[in-house]
Amino acid sequence: MKSTHVLRIKEVMHISLSSIYQPIYSTRAHVFQIDPNTKKNWMPTSKHAVTVSYFYDSTRNVYRIISLDGSKAIINSTITPNMTFTKTSHKFGQWADSRANTVYGLGFSSEHHLAKFAEKFAEYKEAARMAKEKSLEKMELASSPSQESPADIHSPLTPPVTADLCRINGTGDDVTLSDVSPNSMLQSDLSPTTPTLAHSPATNKHWEAELAALKSNNAKLTAALLESTANVKQWKQQLAAYQDEAERLHKRVSELESQSSQTNVIKSQKTELNQTIEELECTLKAKEEEMVRLKEEVENAKQLQTQKDELTKKLEDTDLRNKELEEQLADLEQRLESSQVDQESLRKNLKTLLEILDGKIFELTELRDNLAKLIEDS
Protein backbone atom coordinates (compact mmCIF):
# COMPACT_ATOMS: atom_id res chain seq x y z
CA MET A 1 0.00 0.00 0.00
CA LYS A 2 2.83 2.39 0.88
CA SER A 3 4.74 1.68 -2.36
CA THR A 4 1.56 2.28 -4.40
CA HIS A 5 1.10 5.64 -2.71
CA VAL A 6 4.73 6.61 -3.40
CA LEU A 7 4.31 5.72 -7.09
CA ARG A 8 1.15 7.82 -7.21
CA ILE A 9 3.02 10.79 -5.71
CA LYS A 10 5.81 10.43 -8.29
CA GLU A 11 3.24 10.31 -11.09
CA VAL A 12 1.56 13.50 -9.87
CA MET A 13 4.96 15.22 -9.50
CA HIS A 14 5.89 14.22 -13.05
CA ILE A 15 2.63 15.57 -14.49
CA SER A 16 2.93 18.81 -12.54
CA LEU A 17 6.54 19.41 -13.53
CA SER A 18 5.97 18.59 -17.19
CA SER A 19 3.05 21.02 -17.32
CA ILE A 20 5.31 23.97 -16.36
CA TYR A 21 8.23 23.31 -18.73
CA GLN A 22 9.10 26.48 -20.61
CA PRO A 23 10.15 26.21 -24.28
CA ILE A 24 13.65 27.47 -25.06
CA TYR A 25 12.74 28.17 -28.71
CA SER A 26 9.42 28.06 -30.58
CA THR A 27 8.30 28.53 -34.17
CA ARG A 28 5.29 27.67 -36.33
CA ALA A 29 5.26 25.12 -39.13
CA HIS A 30 3.17 22.48 -40.89
CA VAL A 31 4.01 19.03 -39.49
CA PHE A 32 4.34 15.88 -41.64
CA GLN A 33 5.35 12.25 -41.08
CA ILE A 34 6.65 9.78 -43.61
CA ASP A 35 4.16 7.17 -44.80
CA PRO A 36 5.06 3.97 -42.85
CA ASN A 37 3.98 1.81 -45.80
CA THR A 38 5.71 3.46 -48.76
CA LYS A 39 8.52 5.24 -46.84
CA LYS A 40 8.38 7.89 -49.59
CA ASN A 41 5.20 9.96 -49.37
CA TRP A 42 4.54 12.58 -46.69
CA MET A 43 1.40 12.42 -44.53
CA PRO A 44 0.22 15.70 -42.87
CA THR A 45 -0.36 15.36 -39.12
CA SER A 46 -1.82 18.86 -38.65
CA LYS A 47 -4.51 20.65 -40.65
CA HIS A 48 -2.81 24.02 -40.19
CA ALA A 49 0.48 25.47 -38.94
CA VAL A 50 1.13 24.59 -35.27
CA THR A 51 3.69 25.61 -32.68
CA VAL A 52 6.88 23.49 -32.70
CA SER A 53 9.12 24.02 -29.64
CA TYR A 54 12.47 22.92 -28.27
CA PHE A 55 12.36 21.88 -24.59
CA TYR A 56 15.14 21.02 -22.15
CA ASP A 57 14.36 18.07 -19.84
CA SER A 58 16.56 18.80 -16.82
CA THR A 59 15.58 15.54 -15.09
CA ARG A 60 17.08 13.45 -17.91
CA ASN A 61 19.51 16.10 -19.24
CA VAL A 62 18.16 15.82 -22.79
CA TYR A 63 16.64 18.14 -25.40
CA ARG A 64 13.26 17.41 -26.98
CA ILE A 65 11.21 18.66 -29.93
CA ILE A 66 7.53 18.75 -28.96
CA SER A 67 4.45 19.94 -30.85
CA LEU A 68 0.80 19.76 -29.77
CA ASP A 69 -2.28 19.94 -31.99
CA GLY A 70 -4.91 20.67 -29.36
CA SER A 71 -4.37 18.00 -26.70
CA LYS A 72 -2.69 15.56 -29.10
CA ALA A 73 1.12 15.33 -29.21
CA ILE A 74 2.06 15.07 -32.91
CA ILE A 75 5.82 15.44 -32.26
CA ASN A 76 7.70 14.07 -29.22
CA SER A 77 11.27 13.55 -30.38
CA THR A 78 14.41 13.39 -28.22
CA ILE A 79 17.48 14.94 -29.89
CA THR A 80 20.50 12.61 -29.99
CA PRO A 81 24.05 13.16 -31.31
CA ASN A 82 23.38 10.80 -34.23
CA MET A 83 20.42 12.76 -35.59
CA THR A 84 20.71 15.00 -38.66
CA PHE A 85 18.34 17.74 -39.77
CA THR A 86 18.28 17.91 -43.59
CA LYS A 87 17.00 20.83 -45.68
CA THR A 88 15.28 19.31 -48.71
CA SER A 89 14.14 22.68 -50.11
CA HIS A 90 14.26 26.36 -49.19
CA LYS A 91 11.19 26.00 -46.92
CA PHE A 92 11.15 22.30 -45.92
CA GLY A 93 13.34 20.18 -43.63
CA GLN A 94 13.28 16.69 -42.10
CA TRP A 95 14.95 14.44 -39.53
CA ALA A 96 14.70 10.75 -38.60
CA ASP A 97 13.79 9.50 -35.11
CA SER A 98 14.61 5.81 -34.64
CA ARG A 99 12.88 5.74 -31.25
CA ALA A 100 9.56 6.76 -32.80
CA ASN A 101 10.41 4.69 -35.91
CA THR A 102 9.42 7.54 -38.21
CA VAL A 103 10.73 10.56 -40.12
CA TYR A 104 9.36 14.02 -39.27
CA GLY A 105 9.03 16.81 -41.83
CA LEU A 106 8.38 20.53 -41.23
CA GLY A 107 7.13 23.05 -43.78
CA PHE A 108 7.92 26.68 -42.89
CA SER A 109 6.47 29.93 -44.16
CA SER A 110 9.87 31.37 -45.05
CA GLU A 111 13.47 30.33 -45.60
CA HIS A 112 14.53 32.40 -42.59
CA HIS A 113 12.38 30.31 -40.20
CA LEU A 114 13.81 27.08 -41.67
CA ALA A 115 17.38 28.33 -41.24
CA LYS A 116 16.72 29.39 -37.64
CA PHE A 117 15.17 25.99 -36.78
CA ALA A 118 18.13 24.15 -38.38
CA GLU A 119 20.56 26.35 -36.45
CA LYS A 120 18.85 25.53 -33.14
CA PHE A 121 18.79 21.81 -34.06
CA ALA A 122 22.56 21.81 -34.60
CA GLU A 123 23.11 23.76 -31.36
CA TYR A 124 21.06 21.38 -29.20
CA LYS A 125 22.49 18.34 -30.98
CA GLU A 126 25.97 19.53 -29.96
CA ALA A 127 24.71 20.07 -26.39
CA ALA A 128 23.32 16.51 -26.41
CA ARG A 129 26.68 15.20 -27.61
CA MET A 130 28.52 17.00 -24.79
CA ALA A 131 25.99 15.71 -22.23
CA LYS A 132 26.54 12.19 -23.56
CA GLU A 133 30.32 12.52 -23.17
CA LYS A 134 29.94 13.82 -19.62
CA SER A 135 27.61 10.93 -18.80
CA LEU A 136 30.16 8.51 -20.25
CA GLU A 137 32.92 10.00 -18.08
CA LYS A 138 30.73 9.75 -14.97
CA MET A 139 29.84 6.13 -15.79
CA GLU A 140 33.52 5.26 -16.27
CA LEU A 141 34.49 6.90 -12.97
CA ALA A 142 31.64 5.14 -11.17
CA SER A 143 32.54 1.75 -12.66
CA SER A 144 36.32 2.00 -11.99
CA PRO A 145 37.09 3.30 -8.42
CA SER A 146 40.77 3.63 -7.50
CA GLN A 147 40.60 1.26 -4.53
CA GLU A 148 39.28 -1.75 -6.49
CA SER A 149 41.32 -4.31 -8.34
CA PRO A 150 40.97 -4.95 -12.12
CA ALA A 151 39.00 -8.07 -11.33
CA ASP A 152 36.47 -6.01 -9.39
CA ILE A 153 36.18 -3.55 -12.26
CA HIS A 154 34.99 -6.28 -14.62
CA SER A 155 32.69 -7.83 -12.03
CA PRO A 156 29.27 -8.92 -13.27
CA LEU A 157 27.76 -6.51 -10.74
CA THR A 158 29.10 -3.51 -12.68
CA PRO A 159 26.27 -2.01 -14.79
CA PRO A 160 26.86 -1.98 -18.55
CA VAL A 161 27.81 1.49 -19.74
CA THR A 162 26.36 1.13 -23.23
CA ALA A 163 22.87 0.29 -21.99
CA ASP A 164 22.81 3.28 -19.63
CA LEU A 165 23.97 5.65 -22.31
CA CYS A 166 21.29 4.44 -24.67
CA ARG A 167 18.70 4.84 -21.95
CA ILE A 168 19.87 8.38 -21.19
CA ASN A 169 20.44 9.81 -24.65
CA GLY A 170 18.68 7.38 -26.99
CA THR A 171 19.87 6.51 -30.49
CA GLY A 172 19.18 7.98 -33.89
CA ASP A 173 19.79 7.05 -37.49
CA ASP A 174 20.51 9.38 -40.39
CA VAL A 175 17.89 8.96 -43.09
CA THR A 176 17.90 10.87 -46.37
CA LEU A 177 14.66 10.99 -48.36
CA SER A 178 13.88 12.21 -51.83
CA ASP A 179 13.26 15.93 -52.23
CA VAL A 180 9.52 15.74 -51.58
CA SER A 181 8.31 19.14 -50.37
CA PRO A 182 4.69 20.06 -49.60
CA ASN A 183 5.52 23.78 -49.76
CA SER A 184 2.75 24.41 -52.28
CA MET A 185 0.29 23.86 -49.43
CA LEU A 186 1.97 26.60 -47.37
CA GLN A 187 2.16 29.47 -49.92
CA SER A 188 -0.61 31.97 -50.56
CA ASP A 189 -0.70 35.01 -52.90
CA LEU A 190 -1.83 38.36 -51.52
CA SER A 191 -3.20 41.12 -53.74
CA PRO A 192 -0.58 43.87 -54.21
CA THR A 193 -3.23 46.58 -54.04
CA THR A 194 -4.37 45.75 -50.49
CA PRO A 195 -1.28 44.85 -48.35
CA THR A 196 -2.59 46.40 -45.14
CA LEU A 197 -5.92 44.63 -45.25
CA ALA A 198 -4.28 41.29 -45.94
CA HIS A 199 -1.77 41.66 -43.12
CA SER A 200 -4.34 42.42 -40.42
CA PRO A 201 -6.35 39.15 -40.69
CA ALA A 202 -3.08 37.20 -40.72
CA THR A 203 -2.00 38.92 -37.51
CA ASN A 204 -5.44 38.28 -36.07
CA LYS A 205 -5.21 34.55 -36.82
CA HIS A 206 -1.70 34.42 -35.32
CA TRP A 207 -2.87 35.91 -32.01
CA GLU A 208 -5.96 33.68 -31.98
CA ALA A 209 -3.75 30.60 -32.38
CA GLU A 210 -1.42 31.79 -29.60
CA LEU A 211 -4.42 32.47 -27.35
CA ALA A 212 -5.86 29.02 -28.05
CA ALA A 213 -2.52 27.41 -27.18
CA LEU A 214 -2.34 29.36 -23.92
CA LYS A 215 -5.91 28.38 -23.07
CA SER A 216 -5.06 24.73 -23.66
CA ASN A 217 -1.92 24.93 -21.48
CA ASN A 218 -3.89 26.82 -18.83
CA ALA A 219 -6.58 24.12 -18.76
CA LYS A 220 -3.96 21.37 -18.40
CA LEU A 221 -2.19 23.25 -15.63
CA THR A 222 -5.49 23.88 -13.83
CA ALA A 223 -6.33 20.17 -13.94
CA ALA A 224 -2.91 19.27 -12.59
CA LEU A 225 -3.21 21.86 -9.81
CA LEU A 226 -6.65 20.54 -8.81
CA GLU A 227 -5.27 17.02 -8.60
CA SER A 228 -2.22 18.25 -6.67
CA THR A 229 -4.46 20.20 -4.26
CA ALA A 230 -6.48 17.06 -3.57
CA ASN A 231 -3.26 15.15 -2.95
CA VAL A 232 -2.02 17.89 -0.60
CA LYS A 233 -5.16 17.51 1.52
CA GLN A 234 -4.61 13.76 1.65
CA TRP A 235 -0.95 14.29 2.57
CA LYS A 236 -1.92 16.69 5.35
CA GLN A 237 -4.24 14.06 6.79
CA GLN A 238 -1.53 11.44 6.57
CA LEU A 239 0.94 13.89 8.11
CA ALA A 240 -1.40 14.49 11.05
CA ALA A 241 -1.76 10.73 11.44
CA TYR A 242 2.04 10.34 11.33
CA GLN A 243 2.44 13.03 13.99
CA ASP A 244 -0.14 11.34 16.22
CA GLU A 245 1.63 8.04 15.68
CA ALA A 246 5.00 9.65 16.53
CA GLU A 247 3.57 11.15 19.72
CA ARG A 248 2.09 7.80 20.69
CA LEU A 249 5.41 6.11 20.01
CA HIS A 250 7.24 8.69 22.17
CA LYS A 251 4.84 7.96 25.03
CA ARG A 252 5.34 4.26 24.48
CA VAL A 253 9.11 4.76 24.69
CA SER A 254 8.72 6.61 28.00
CA GLU A 255 6.56 3.82 29.40
CA LEU A 256 9.01 1.18 28.29
CA GLU A 257 11.94 3.06 29.80
CA SER A 258 10.13 3.17 33.15
CA GLN A 259 10.01 -0.63 33.23
CA SER A 260 13.50 -1.46 34.52
CA SER A 261 12.84 -5.21 34.62
CA GLN A 262 12.64 -5.35 30.81
CA THR A 263 15.72 -3.30 29.91
CA ASN A 264 16.87 -5.33 26.90
CA VAL A 265 13.40 -5.47 25.36
CA ILE A 266 12.94 -1.75 25.93
CA LYS A 267 16.24 -0.93 24.21
CA SER A 268 15.32 -3.04 21.19
CA GLN A 269 11.87 -1.49 20.91
CA LYS A 270 13.32 1.98 21.46
CA THR A 271 15.70 1.48 18.53
CA GLU A 272 12.86 0.36 16.28
CA LEU A 273 10.70 3.29 17.39
CA ASN A 274 13.53 5.77 16.75
CA GLN A 275 13.94 4.37 13.25
CA THR A 276 10.19 4.74 12.69
CA ILE A 277 10.35 8.35 13.90
CA GLU A 278 13.22 9.09 11.53
CA GLU A 279 11.25 7.64 8.63
CA LEU A 280 8.25 9.78 9.58
CA GLU A 281 10.45 12.88 9.77
CA CYS A 282 11.84 12.13 6.29
CA THR A 283 8.29 11.73 5.00
CA LEU A 284 7.31 15.05 6.60
CA LYS A 285 10.26 16.79 4.93
CA ALA A 286 9.29 15.32 1.55
CA LYS A 287 5.71 16.59 1.99
CA GLU A 288 6.98 20.08 2.82
CA GLU A 289 9.15 20.11 -0.32
CA GLU A 290 6.15 19.01 -2.38
CA MET A 291 4.09 21.88 -0.97
CA VAL A 292 6.84 24.32 -2.03
CA ARG A 293 6.72 22.89 -5.56
CA LEU A 294 2.95 23.29 -5.66
CA LYS A 295 3.28 26.95 -4.64
CA GLU A 296 5.70 27.48 -7.53
CA GLU A 297 3.15 25.89 -9.88
CA VAL A 298 0.49 28.34 -8.65
CA GLU A 299 2.85 31.26 -9.39
CA ASN A 300 3.43 29.90 -12.90
CA ALA A 301 -0.33 29.63 -13.40
CA LYS A 302 -0.68 33.31 -12.47
CA GLN A 303 2.00 34.23 -15.02
CA LEU A 304 0.15 32.27 -17.71
CA GLN A 305 -3.05 34.12 -16.82
CA THR A 306 -1.22 37.45 -17.20
CA GLN A 307 0.07 36.41 -20.63
CA LYS A 308 -3.46 35.38 -21.59
CA ASP A 309 -4.83 38.81 -20.60
CA GLU A 310 -2.12 40.57 -22.63
CA LEU A 311 -2.87 38.50 -25.72
CA THR A 312 -6.60 39.15 -25.32
CA LYS A 313 -5.95 42.91 -25.25
CA LYS A 314 -3.77 42.67 -28.37
CA LEU A 315 -6.51 40.70 -30.12
CA GLU A 316 -9.06 43.38 -29.26
CA ASP A 317 -6.72 46.09 -30.58
CA THR A 318 -6.30 44.12 -33.81
CA ASP A 319 -10.08 43.79 -34.21
CA LEU A 320 -10.46 47.55 -33.70
CA ARG A 321 -7.79 48.23 -36.33
CA ASN A 322 -9.55 45.90 -38.78
CA LYS A 323 -12.82 47.79 -38.31
CA GLU A 324 -11.09 51.11 -38.96
CA LEU A 325 -9.51 49.75 -42.14
CA GLU A 326 -12.88 48.40 -43.31
CA GLU A 327 -14.47 51.83 -42.77
CA GLN A 328 -11.65 53.50 -44.74
CA LEU A 329 -12.14 51.01 -47.58
CA ALA A 330 -15.90 51.68 -47.67
CA ASP A 331 -15.25 55.44 -47.77
CA LEU A 332 -12.77 55.03 -50.64
CA GLU A 333 -15.24 52.90 -52.59
CA GLN A 334 -17.94 55.53 -52.11
CA ARG A 335 -15.59 58.30 -53.31
CA LEU A 336 -14.62 56.23 -56.34
CA GLU A 337 -18.27 55.66 -57.25
CA SER A 338 -19.03 59.38 -56.93
CA SER A 339 -16.01 60.25 -59.08
CA GLN A 340 -17.16 57.85 -61.76
CA VAL A 341 -20.63 59.47 -61.82
CA ASP A 342 -19.07 62.94 -62.15
CA GLN A 343 -16.83 61.77 -65.00
CA GLU A 344 -19.81 60.28 -66.83
CA SER A 345 -21.75 63.55 -66.51
CA LEU A 346 -18.73 65.57 -67.76
CA ARG A 347 -18.33 63.24 -70.72
CA LYS A 348 -21.98 63.74 -71.72
CA ASN A 349 -21.63 67.55 -71.47
CA LEU A 350 -18.49 67.51 -73.63
CA LYS A 351 -20.24 65.36 -76.22
CA THR A 352 -23.14 67.85 -76.36
CA LEU A 353 -20.77 70.80 -76.76
CA LEU A 354 -18.92 68.95 -79.52
CA GLU A 355 -22.16 68.39 -81.43
CA ILE A 356 -23.06 72.12 -81.10
CA LEU A 357 -19.57 73.10 -82.27
CA ASP A 358 -19.88 70.82 -85.31
CA GLY A 359 -23.17 72.52 -86.20
CA LYS A 360 -21.66 76.00 -85.88
CA ILE A 361 -18.68 74.97 -88.02
CA PHE A 362 -21.07 73.63 -90.68
CA GLU A 363 -23.07 76.90 -90.69
CA LEU A 364 -19.88 78.98 -91.01
CA THR A 365 -18.77 76.78 -93.91
CA GLU A 366 -22.08 77.39 -95.74
CA LEU A 367 -21.83 81.12 -95.03
CA ARG A 368 -18.30 81.20 -96.47
CA ASP A 369 -19.41 79.33 -99.58
CA ASN A 370 -22.31 81.78 -100.08
CA LEU A 371 -20.05 84.78 -99.67
CA ALA A 372 -17.56 83.32 -102.14
CA LYS A 373 -20.37 82.72 -104.61
CA LEU A 374 -21.63 86.30 -104.24
CA ILE A 375 -18.14 87.63 -104.84
CA GLU A 376 -17.80 85.56 -108.00
CA ASP A 377 -21.22 86.66 -109.28
CA SER A 378 -20.43 90.34 -108.72
Side-chain angles (χ1 to χ4, degrees):
M1 183 67 181
K2 183 176 180 181
S3 60
T4 304
H5 180 67
V6 171
L7 291 174
R8 180 58 178 168
I9 292 174
K10 290 182 178 179
E11 180 182 358
V12 173
M13 290 174 61
H14 176 71
I15 294 174
S16 301
L17 291 173
S18 61
S19 64
I20 62 173
Y21 280 158
Q22 296 295 327
I24 53 182
Y25 175 76
S26 296
T27 186
R28 294 186 67 81
H30 289 260
V31 180
F32 299 84
Q33 286 190 16
I34 201 69
D35 189 344
N37 298 323
T38 63
K39 298 294 184 180
K40 293 182 179 180
N41 300 325
W42 289 108
M43 299 174 58
T45 57
S46 62
K47 296 181 180 178
H48 49 78
V50 296
T51 301
V52 182
S53 302
Y54 286 99
F55 288 83
Y56 176 64
D57 188 348
S58 58
T59 59
R60 295 177 176 83
N61 195 23
V62 296
Y63 292 87
R64 300 180 185 276
I65 303 176
I66 297 176
S67 178
L68 299 177
D69 188 3
S71 59
K72 177 184 177 183
I74 57 178
I75 297 179
N76 186 6
S77 178
T78 301
I79 300 176
T80 65
N82 295 329
M83 284 185 177
T84 300
F85 184 81
T86 305
K87 298 179 183 178
T88 58
S89 72
H90 64 288
K91 290 185 180 180
F92 192 82
Q94 65 187 43
W95 78 95
D97 189 340
S98 61
R99 277 188 168 185
N101 194 24
T102 187
V103 179
Y104 293 103
L106 296 180
F108 297 88
S109 60
S110 67
E111 187 175 359
H112 170 72
H113 289 88
L114 173 60
K116 188 67 174 178
F117 188 89
E119 177 184 346
K120 293 295 182 181
F121 192 98
E123 177 182 344
Y124 301 140
K125 173 184 173 181
E126 179 64 18
R129 184 188 66 79
M130 295 177 64
K132 183 176 181 180
E133 291 178 355
K134 291 181 180 179
S135 300
L136 180 60
E137 292 176 359
K138 292 181 180 179
M139 299 291 288
E140 290 176 349
L141 291 175
S143 61
S144 59
S146 58
Q147 296 180 356
E148 292 181 357
S149 62
D152 294 329
I153 293 176
H154 297 284
S155 171
L157 298 178
T158 303
V161 175
T162 304
D164 287 351
L165 289 176
C166 294
R167 185 167 58 254
I168 292 172
N169 293 308
T171 58
D173 299 327
D174 294 342
V175 178
T176 302
L177 298 176
S178 60
D179 187 4
V180 181
S181 174
N183 291 328
S184 58
M185 300 172 59
L186 308 178
Q187 298 176 347
S188 60
D189 295 331
L190 299 178
S191 174
T193 59
T194 57
T196 305
L197 295 178
H199 178 68
S200 297
T203 306
N204 192 2
K205 290 181 180 179
H206 171 71
W207 288 119
E208 286 178 354
E210 292 292 335
L211 182 60
L214 278 176
K215 286 182 178 180
S216 176
N217 292 334
N218 192 18
K220 295 177 182 178
L221 182 58
T222 303
L225 286 176
L226 291 175
E227 185 176 1
S228 300
T229 304
N231 290 330
V232 167
K233 292 180 180 179
Q234 182 180 1
W235 295 338
K236 286 182 178 179
Q237 295 176 356
Q238 292 180 355
L239 181 59
Y242 291 155
Q243 291 175 345
D244 294 338
E245 180 68 11
E247 185 178 356
R248 187 184 67 81
L249 292 175
H250 279 299
K251 291 180 179 179
R252 180 59 179 168
V253 168
S254 300
E255 293 176 0
L256 292 174
E257 288 178 347
S258 64
Q259 299 176 2
S260 58
S261 60
Q262 300 179 356
T263 304
N264 295 331
V265 177
I266 290 174
K267 288 182 179 180
S268 176
Q269 292 181 352
K270 181 179 179 181
T271 302
E272 294 177 357
L273 292 175
N274 287 334
Q275 292 177 354
T276 305
I277 292 172
E278 290 178 357
E279 292 177 357
L280 292 174
E281 289 176 350
C282 292
T283 304
L284 176 60
K285 185 178 180 180
K287 301 300 181 184
E288 291 176 350
E289 292 177 353
E290 181 65 22
M291 292 180 68
V292 172
R293 294 192 188 96
L294 292 175
K295 288 180 180 179
E296 293 177 354
E297 292 178 9
V298 172
E299 292 297 328
N300 290 328
K302 291 180 180 179
Q303 294 178 2
L304 285 176
Q305 184 63 34
T306 302
Q307 293 178 1
K308 175 185 174 184
D309 295 338
E310 292 176 355
L311 288 176
T312 302
K313 186 177 183 303
K314 290 181 180 179
L315 182 60
E316 292 175 355
D317 294 340
T318 304
D319 290 338
L320 182 60
R321 178 60 179 168
N322 286 339
K323 290 181 181 178
E324 292 177 356
L325 292 173
E326 289 175 357
E327 292 176 357
Q328 292 178 5
L329 179 61
D331 185 39
L332 291 174
E333 290 177 349
Q334 185 176 2
R335 290 181 182 179
L336 179 61
E337 185 178 355
S338 176
S339 176
Q340 290 176 349
V341 172
D342 293 340
Q343 289 179 359
E344 182 66 22
S345 176
L346 179 60
R347 189 181 64 82
K348 290 181 179 179
N349 292 335
L350 290 175
K351 185 177 180 182
T352 303
L353 290 175
L354 183 61
E355 291 176 354
I356 295 172
L357 181 61
D358 289 340
K360 295 296 182 181
I361 291 172
F362 181 74
E363 291 176 358
L364 289 174
T365 303
E366 287 183 348
L367 180 60
R368 178 184 176 282
D369 293 341
N370 292 332
L371 290 174
K373 187 177 182 181
L374 288 174
I375 292 170
E376 289 176 358
D377 291 342
S378 64

